[in-house]
Every structure is written in structure tokens, then in C-alpha cells.
Amino acid sequence: MIYQARKGQVSSGEAIGILLLDTSVPFIPGDVANATTYPFPVRFRKVEGFTVARAIGKDPSIYDGLHHAACELVDQGVRAITGDCGFMALHQKRLARELPVPVFLSSLLQIPFILSILGESGKVGVITADGRSLDEALLAAVGVTDVDRLVIQGLEEQPDFYRFAIEESGSLDPTKVEAEVVAAGRCLMAADDSVKALLLECSLLPPYASALQRALQMPVFDYISMINFVFSAVVKQPYEGFI
């Protein structure tokens, strides 16, 4: 095999490029922005000025910065582009149209798939950083049209989550946040017993997915399940064995 250099590319082997918010919180293992979360290398790129407030506020003016950062990742050889905030869904269709690699910015993209495997009566419980901002327009941007099959629970009134994730206090007690996430899941189940699977919208929530599953005994989807799935499609592994 003859390898060819790609002009401007300074390293190789990072198939997944991850666009990061311009934020400062503890990125613990399991967080999308922690490289040890993955069993494969990833490449990060911060989108300057893309703050939590602008993400939750669905500010369309950030698109040029987002596009520029994504193009830099593509130039460095990534095979697919994801993000670290479910509210990046606002930019999904446009960025996917304008980039030469697959784009999957938001964990919310998994909702149509999850609904399709639950049966017609099953619902998806969505735990989000801010339930007030997760509206029908944002869901439509990722192909969700049957909003009646969603039960949404926001964490905006949970004090420990709010302090570390929204106010960016700089510190995190994962035990307390885990308790708040599990409580949100129990609240979803109490509201509607048709919920058959859970989706965590926020990129800060995968560290608590295991505890949530233990408590509620159902499938839990999050950013990491999505990223692992796409990686398996863009980097196929050869099979070895015997018959």
C-alpha cells in the first residue's frame, strides 16, 4: 500500500471530530469532551464564542464559527463530525449539507430510531439540560415529528446540575448530579408509564447513564451511544475467526 500525505494535515488516526462549546466545566470520564470516554482516538475543536447560553438560546448567528471549526476538523482528516450539545440540532441540516463527511451534531438524532424499535405505543423519555428550550422546532430539525411520543424532563431546576453546567461554577459533585438525573428519570416514569426508553440530550449526562439504567431497568441512549455507532460505520473492523 502506498500512503499519500494530505496537505495541511498534521496528524492521523482520528476518525471522529467533535465540535465543543466555548465553556469551562469539569469534563469527567463519560463526558463527550473527555478523550478517555472513547476506545478510539478523537479530535476536538472548540467553537469560539459558542457559549452555553447561545446554544440553549438557539442563536443562529453562531453558524459561521461552527462551520469554520468543522471545516478545520475535516481538513485534519476526520471521517465524521459530531458535537457536544444537543441544542446544536438547530444547525444539523445545513452543516450536513455543506460538509463532505457525515454530520451528527445532536444526540436528539437518535429519537426517530428509538421510536421505531419501541412499537407504536412506546414513548421515549428525554432528559435535557433545559426542558423549556427543547421545543417542536428544534426537534423537527432532527426529523422528530411525532412529539406526542416524547416525555421531556428538564434539569434546569436541579441545583447541582444547574450550578456546574449552566452557571459554570467550575466544580462538580458527580454523586449529587447523578441523584438529580436519576430523580428526573423517575419523574418521567411517574408521568407516563408508556416510556420504554430514555435519551439523554446533554453531552454532560452520559457519566450518569449507567446509574439511570440500574434504577429504571430500561434502554438508555446518549451522545456516546450515537458516537460509538457512527464510528463503527466509518471505521469498519475486519472479522477474524473460524467455522
Side-chain angles (χ1 to χ4, degrees), residues 197-200 209-210 212-213 218-222 225:
L198 297 172
L199 171 69
L200 306 181
S210 178
L212 192 62
Q213 186 170 75
M218 67 176 56
V220 179
F221 297 82
D222 56 26
S225 63

Side-chain angles (χ1 to χ4, degrees), residues 23 52 54 63 89 114 118 121 127 142 155 203 223 237:
T23 184
V52 172
R54 294 180 76 178
Y63 182 79
I114 301 169
L118 295 182
S121 62
I127 299 178
V142 289
L155 296 172
S203 68
Y223 252 111
Q237 301 297 323

Side-chain angles (χ1 to χ4, degrees), residues 142-165:
V142 289
V144 178
T145 56
D146 194 355
V147 295
D148 290 339
R149 293 185 64 193
L150 303 182
V151 181
I152 297 172
Q153 181 67 43
L155 296 172
E156 62 271 12
E157 295 184 359
Q158 298 300 320
D160 286 283
F161 176 82
Y162 189 87
R163 275 193 296 271
F164 111 85

Side-chain angles (χ1 to χ4, degrees), residues 1-207:
M1 178 182 292
I2 304 300
Y3 294 98
Q4 300 292 335
R6 182 172 181 166
K7 186 177 181 180
Q9 186 173 343
V10 298
S11 65
S12 299
E14 300 148 325
I16 302 296
I18 304 177
L19 295 166
L20 302 177
L21 293 182
D22 191 350
T23 184
S24 180
V25 301
F27 302 114
I28 65 175
D31 193 299
V32 170
N34 184 312
T36 68
T37 296
Y38 310 98
F40 45 80
V42 298
R43 178 176 281 268
F44 296 113
R45 174 63 164 83
K46 181 173 72 172
V47 182
E48 298 291 342
F50 200 172
T51 62
V52 172
R54 294 180 76 178
I56 292 177
K58 301 187 285 286
D59 182 354
S61 69
I62 197 61
Y63 182 79
D64 287 345
L66 186 75
H67 181 268
H68 177 73
C71 287
E72 287 191 351
L73 288 172
V74 172
D75 289 343
Q76 291 303 311
V78 304
R79 300 183 184 184
I81 298 284
T82 190
D84 80 331
C85 177
F87 290 92
M88 287 184 180
L90 177 69
H91 311 285
Q92 169 65 33
K93 290 181 180 179
R94 184 178 177 184
L95 195 64
R97 185 171 63 247
E98 296 180 357
L99 291 188
V101 300
V103 174
F104 56 118
L105 288 181
S106 174
S107 56
L108 300 171
L109 285 161
Q110 298 170 96
I111 292 175
F113 169 75
I114 301 169
L115 287 173
S116 72
I117 68 175
L118 295 182
E120 295 181 357
S121 62
K123 296 182 180 181
V124 176
V126 181
I127 299 178
T128 175
D130 193 317
R132 301 163 299 184
S133 296
L134 186 52
D135 55 22
E136 291 189 20
L138 190 72
L139 291 165
V142 289
V144 178
T145 56
D146 194 355
V147 295
D148 290 339
R149 293 185 64 193
L150 303 182
V151 181
I152 297 172
Q153 181 67 43
L155 296 172
E156 62 271 12
E157 295 184 359
Q158 298 300 320
D160 286 283
F161 176 82
Y162 189 87
R163 275 193 296 271
F164 111 85
I166 308 303
E167 293 185 334
E168 299 180 51
S169 64
S171 64
L172 162 64
D173 184 333
T175 302
K176 291 181 178 179
V177 174
E178 179 181 290
E180 292 177 344
V181 173
V182 171
R186 294 190 188 281
C187 185
L188 282 173
M189 295 303 299
D192 195 324
D193 61 8
S194 297
V195 172
K196 302 302 180 186
L198 297 172
L199 171 69
L200 306 181
E201 167 272 322
C202 179
S203 68
L204 303 172
L205 297 181

